Amino acid sequence: MFGKNTFIIAGIIFLTLLFTAAAGCIGSSPTDQNAVLKIATPNEITEASYYGNYNFAQITRVATPPLIQVDENGDYVGAVAKSWTVSSDGKTWEFTLDPNYQWSDGTSLTADDVKFSLEYAAEKITTAPSWIKSAAITTSENVVTISLADPVYRLFGDLVAINIVPKHIWGSIDDPEEYISAGPYVGSAAYYVQSVDTNSATLVLAVNPAWKGNAPYYGTVELHWFATEDAAILAMLGGECDTYWKYGASFPTSSVALLDSSEKFTTVETPSLKMSYVGFNTISSDAGSDLAFRKAIAYALNYDELVEIGASGYALSANSGFIPNGVPYYKNTPANIYNLATAKLMLDAAGYKDVNGDGIREDTNGSALTVTLLTRDKVAGELIKEYLQKAGLKVEYKFASDLNAWVELKDAHAYDIAYNGITAKGMMMDSGWATGYFASNTLGAGKLQNVDDPVFLELCAKIATTPDGDELKALISDLQDYYSDNMPGIALYWSTDVTPINTEIDGWYISKATGILNEINLLSMHPAN
Amino acid sequence: MKFDRRYILPGLLILLFLIVAIFPGMFAPYSISDRTATYQAPGADHLLGTDNMGKDIFSLLIYAARWTLMIGFASGLLAVFVGTAVGLLAGWRRGALDEFLMGTTDIVLILPKIPLVIILAAYLGPSPWVLIFVLGLLSWESIARVVRSKVIQIRSSEYILAARCLGFSDCRIMFKEILPVVFPVIVPKFVLVTAAAMISEASLAFLGLSDPQTVSWGGMISDAFTYSGFLRGMWYWWLPPALCIILGVLAITSLAFIHERGVREVMQL
Amino acid sequence: MNKVLARKLVRYAVCLLIVVLLVFLLPRCMPGDPVQCLVGEDVYLTQEILDSVTAKLGLDRPLFEQFQIYIGDLFTGDLGYSYTRHQNVADLIWDRLPWTLLLTGMSMLIGYAFGIIAGTWSGWMTEKKRAKIMTGFGVFVSCIPPYLLGLIFFSVFVYQLGWFPYKGFYETPDFFSVVYHMALPVLTLALFVFARNMIIMRGSVLTEKNQLYPQFAKSLGIPRRKIIYGHVMKNAILPILTHFAIDFGFILSGALFIEIIFSLNGLGRVMYTAVLNLDYPVLSGLFLVIALMAICANLIADILYGIIDPRVKRGDDQ
């Protein structure tokens, strides 16, 4: 397509030579100080601010890890904490530290550092979770105990985002969100941040000499960020970078075809926690609060086409239980089926008949059945609009061009049907299992909060205060039944995450939360053969 | 005045664009809501292939002419309207009013247009109307200047003096006598504002500051980049709208260029 | 101080006032909560912080008092605070400004130098085929949206041919690395500057050519090269100066797009990020600074004009 074969072949020969040369050095030390792994990313670090810049915080998670991390299955495994216990009332959490983690400046990582990091986040960071402010944290030798005022069973979802930082460095920094430094930043994992430069758009991770765990292969890992996604992908395809990473996101699905046609890259597809759905205004809309109407609409949406166009085929059609099969306590419910004839019959049966024969159904008052469709996504919005029109509805299309317009419209419940997306993080927000997107008593810009049914809200409250186990499993089963029976929202598709794999590198490990940029992967990656 | 043959080619091109913009249905094989398989390569069914939604790119190209030309010409008209009014007034009345109006012209000249459009679009939401108003209301300064100097030049000429002596009202003299004389100097300025607005539309679309509900050439290029058209090597997606913009602007500017015969200030945008 | 310059200064002051008023009024006249319009959309702030913003900017007080506070802040160099980036807007802009000025400055230097020379040449040699091709090329380039040319150059020279780096101002902060990294972005932008100035210069030379003095100089036996580049060019250059100010705004806007394509962390990127995050304090601050730079560019052009053209010095009005 680009006539680049010669370039690619030259690149492969060069890299092969490089790797054979590198392989010669492996015998003595497992780390090759000269080996560099380059990662391209569209997540720019606009300021060299550890706490102030969101992307910096995500990237440096591999250098100053939190207590725990997410593995390839979406389960929590240890990072700075080797093991942990929780009391039966969910109030006392004990973490035992892993002695492998040592600060790169030679200082040892102590329970005091952990206590400091949690309290520091509570005090200084605006986005810190609320439980942390009222928690009492005590230490004894290498054990940290968090005592909570109220039980929080979904504590880990928050802990994976709180980095453990060195007290002897940050203790003297009063306003961490404004603190800017080009590095080095003292780290505790296999790598530490050696430098960060916004002018060259590069962050360099160097091997931590004090690290006591397995030695990584690459002496240096570099992150290169680009202003556009296209530039990042071209840098990878052009051989400038070895792989691609984007926080919490798949490789852009519409570009996967490029990887398939490249000799150097293959792809790995993993089920994601992300999904797309339409929500109904069950609070103030006549049609939206009619269950028969919602169920009819579920037959009017062309799910296969939504997968094909909305996700370039990298998604699964969903079922009526709403939440994807990768989520804990998933239960099988009937699949969503597209059948326009059934949808029309059901609308007729629900009383929305086209009496005057103008092709548009009338509502129970005899006026044209008009639904307001709210969307922030151009492609999905246009498709859904078309499906609704095919079912005989008159659609008033409201496109929110920015978050501000969206928040205003959805907070005013100025819609009947709204298209929205669910993120992996959002899936587990509030009471979890996507409830945060529906419950009218939650807060947040990305959520519709379109259900005020007391049955649903009570279910959410119960889930929030129930520890993992059979009781929770039963509640989540009830929740999926509620989604399936009441259809406050219809899942359009469950996304698939696509990760590009450079075939010249072996040992890939893909975390469900952070993709390839995770500690385990950095330790296991090495040149192929 | 002898007809210049060099007008023919650009003139025909603009005429073609205008006809296409007014009657897109006559030229487009598909409507903009028709969909088939996505990301098709050019072929007999789809002259320029299909886009990420399976829409016929050639048809989109034709329907897009309307908004792009609309933004261009509407900005141009608005600029002509304001510029001519300011120029006429300043040149006819002179004195304090002239001073004030020309001062305003100086100020308008300085305001950086693209950053202003960006900040307004961020607050008000992207819409072609914001673009038209900002570009139209900020691009009249060169029109005002040429109109003013032309008016000053002819206001003391004999036939205007004669008209004044006959007691015709200022208004009548302006519309009947001065406007026809001033008209030829306005035309090239009008087309230059139009051309600049078309380029600006494309640039803002690239920043994501175009209304997704309107199909425009700039929006098409921006879509091609957003949905991997550029990476996939689908030149037939982004190049045709790009060429349409370039050719359109080229035709429009060359009209102005030929008109002024390479006289200076031609490219004063 | 001459009269014309004094009058211009008044106009610039009024222009600045209008820009300041615009930036001041826009967030306050928007529907919805002015606090949200002043801190930006994509941030989550506690009520205490919102209250402190309200108190600091006096949002609960009458508009005129708010304006007094705002002007006071501006005079102390306070352009507001970006809650998205956790930085003072003034610091943020000050940090990035040199790089954008380097990009625009280098492009203008190259574009003006070659544009003026090529314009003079093609204006003098209008009938030559090469001059016609040159003019056609200039018109063509100026009809391309800058970002599009940048993208095509990126695809061809960076990705396909691998002649230039993918991103950044440098890899290691030394002179040669900066030159290597800035080369393509500067050339792209310079091409536009070149095209515009060539066309203006060509038109200007055409008018000068028809005057009597070049013929007179020729009859005196002065070499042609000296007539063209010594006398004609000097006289024909005035329109270039008139356009300098407008061009400056245009080139700066062009630089914003070029920075995005070549991943250069200058003001353009700051603006792009601010647009994506609806970071209003940064957008307002940037607009203010860009307007101020445009005014300064005008002022410089006026002064240069006075030096080159003695008629202006005498205070004549055209």
Side-chain angles (χ1 to χ4, degrees), chain A residues 333-356:
Chain A
T333 47
N336 288 334
I337 293 164
Y338 169 58
N339 188 330
L340 192 56
T342 312
K344 285 178 173 168
L345 284 174
M346 287 173 78
L347 283 169
D348 283 345
Y352 305 102
K353 279 190 178 169
D354 179 14
V355 182
N356 59 14

Side-chain angles (χ1 to χ4, degrees), chain A residues 106-369:
Chain A
T107 323
S108 54
L109 191 157
T110 63
D112 222 28
D113 285 316
V114 177
K115 177 178 153 72
F116 167 78
S117 301
L118 295 173
E119 288 171 349
Y120 195 58
E123 195 189 333
K124 310 275 189 188
I125 309 303
T126 32
T127 50
S130 55
W131 56 260
I132 202 169
K133 292 184 172 106
S134 51
I137 299 161
T138 52
T139 60
S140 67
E141 286 183 43
N142 64 340
V143 176
V144 181
T145 310
I146 304 174
S147 308
L148 301 168
D150 302 299
V152 179
Y153 290 98
R154 316 291 159 246
L155 188 76
F156 280 8
D158 293 329
L159 281 182
V160 288
I162 302 173
N163 295 2
I164 304 304
V165 295
K167 184 183 178 180
H168 59 283
I169 305 283
W170 291 95
S172 60
I173 294 164
D174 249 3
D175 201 335
E177 289 183 332
E178 285 189 350
Y179 177 75
I180 286 178
S181 159
Y185 288 82
V186 171
S188 65
Y191 293 95
Y192 71 99
V193 178
Q194 191 183 54
S195 65
V196 53
D197 189 338
T198 52
N199 287 333
S200 70
T202 315
L203 179 138
V204 179
L205 294 166
V207 168
N208 172 2
W211 165 251
K212 294 222 176 82
N214 294 332
Y217 172 79
Y218 293 98
T220 309
V221 174
E222 291 179 5
L223 275 118
H224 296 269
W225 56 91
F226 298 84
T228 62
E229 203 151 67
D230 281 13
I233 293 171
L234 285 179
M236 181 184 82
L237 291 173
E240 181 78 10
C241 291
D242 302 304
T243 182
Y244 169 97
W245 173 79
K246 184 178 176 185
Y247 172 70
S250 162
F251 186 79
T253 49
S254 54
S255 301
V256 176
L258 274 166
L259 297 173
D260 295 342
S261 62
S262 138
E263 291 164 42
K264 194 171 159 188
F265 294 95
T266 58
T267 53
V268 168
E269 290 166 30
T270 40
S272 166
L273 295 184
K274 292 188 287 293
M275 58 180 286
S276 290
Y277 76 106
V278 286
F280 295 94
N281 173 4
T282 67
I283 295 171
S284 62
S285 146
D286 288 338
S289 56
D290 180 358
L291 178 61
F293 173 81
R294 300 201 295 264
K295 292 211 152 177
I297 294 303
Y299 281 97
L301 305 170
N302 187 342
Y303 301 100
D304 288 345
E305 199 176 69
L306 281 161
V307 168
E308 193 50 47
I309 295 176
S312 302
Y314 293 95
L316 296 168
S317 21
N319 61 30
S320 57
F322 200 80
I323 53 179
N325 49 8
V327 179
Y329 306 124
Y330 167 81
K331 167 179 147 179
N332 212 8
T333 47
N336 288 334
I337 293 164
Y338 169 58
N339 188 330
L340 192 56
T342 312
K344 285 178 173 168
L345 284 174
M346 287 173 78
L347 283 169
D348 283 345
Y352 305 102
K353 279 190 178 169
D354 179 14
V355 182
N356 59 14
D358 63 350
I360 293 169
R361 296 168 185 280
E362 281 90 47
D363 62 17
T364 38
N365 303 325
S367 49
L369 177 57

Side-chain angles (χ1 to χ4, degrees), chain C:
Chain C
M1 187 92 151
N2 66 57
K3 225 169 67 189
V4 178
L5 200 60
R7 197 158 51 194
K8 291 255 181 192
L9 276 178
V10 173
R11 286 175 188 177
Y12 296 151
V14 174
C15 180
L16 192 62
L17 185 70
I18 289 175
V19 169
V20 169
L21 266 175
L22 196 75
V23 168
F24 169 78
L25 285 175
L26 210 50
R28 288 169 175 83
C29 295
M30 290 288 294
D33 190 359
V35 184
Q36 206 66 51
C37 285
L38 281 163
V39 297
E41 298 289 351
D42 244 3
V43 286
Y44 297 96
L45 297 177
T46 57
Q47 195 56 46
E48 296 98 81
I49 295 178
L50 289 178
D51 289 345
S52 78
V53 172
T54 310
K56 183 179 175 294
L57 300 177
L59 292 178
D60 43 3
R61 287 190 244 166
L63 210 56
F64 184 69
E65 276 180 49
Q66 289 185 37
F67 190 63
Q68 282 177 320
I69 296 172
Y70 182 73
I71 292 289
D73 285 347
L74 281 187
F75 271 108
T76 56
D78 181 359
L79 290 178
Y81 185 82
S82 165
Y83 288 92
T84 325
R85 301 182 68 147
H86 303 286
Q87 261 190 294
N88 277 319
V89 175
D91 294 345
L92 185 68
I93 294 174
W94 193 242
D95 189 37
R96 296 289 110 209
L97 187 63
W99 288 106
T100 299
L101 285 183
L102 182 67
L103 174 63
T104 43
M106 291 306 295
S107 311
M108 284 172 93
L109 213 62
I110 296 171
Y112 269 97
F114 285 92
I116 288 171
I117 293 170
T120 311
W121 178 74
S122 63
W124 195 262
M125 309 280 181
T126 27
E127 296 314 310
K128 275 207 173 162
K129 196 162 187 184
R130 269 184 297 174
K132 283 183 173 167
I133 292 173
M134 175 87 83
T135 313
F137 172 77
V139 175
F140 181 73
V141 166
S142 53
C143 292
I144 306 175
Y147 80 94
L148 196 66
L149 196 69
L151 274 166
I152 293 170
F153 278 9
F154 181 83
S155 167
V156 173
F157 296 117
V158 176
Y159 177 62
Q160 311 267 12
L161 298 171
W163 291 354
F164 296 97
Y166 280 85
K167 65 157 168 68
F169 288 117
Y170 55 73
E171 199 170 343
T172 49
D174 59 69
F175 178 73
F176 291 104
S177 188
V178 172
V179 170
Y180 175 53
H181 280 72
M182 297 284 276
L184 191 57
V186 164
L187 284 180
T188 315
L189 200 53
L191 204 57
F192 286 97
V193 184
F194 166 80
R196 288 172 69 88
N197 285 299
M198 195 205 75
I199 294 165
I200 296 168
M201 196 64 194
R202 178 181 176 273
S204 181
V205 166
L206 268 177
T207 357
E208 288 298 319
K209 198 168 118 182
N210 296 330
Q211 301 206 3
L212 283 176
Y213 73 89
Q215 312 292 336
F216 182 62
K218 211 170 169 183
S219 68
L220 285 180
I222 298 173
R224 198 178 66 175
R225 186 178 296 266
K226 211 172 169 189
I227 301 173
I228 306 176
Y229 293 106
H231 301 278
V232 175
M233 194 165 96
K234 197 183 160 214
N235 286 318
I237 218 160
L238 289 175
I240 295 270
L241 278 178
T242 330
H243 284 84
F244 176 77
I246 320 169
D247 271 13
F248 183 78
F250 167 82
I251 297 162
L252 209 60
S253 315
L256 305 185
F257 291 99
I258 297 295
E259 282 178 9
I260 294 167
I261 287 154
F262 294 97
S263 301
L264 302 172
N265 192 16
L267 287 186
R269 295 281 302 291
V270 172
M271 179 170 256
Y272 186 49
T273 321
V275 167
L276 293 181
N277 298 325
L278 292 180
D279 191 348
Y280 296 136
V282 171
L283 281 176
S284 307
L286 265 177
F287 180 63
L288 210 58
V289 169
I290 291 174
L292 197 64
M293 285 198 287
I295 290 173
C296 290
N298 271 280
L299 207 58
I300 294 169
D302 287 337
I303 294 167
L304 282 178
Y305 209 103
I307 293 171
I308 292 182
D309 190 355
R311 281 169 291 182
V312 178
K313 243 187 220 154
R314 289 200 304 270
D316 294 350
D317 196 359
Q318 62 277 39

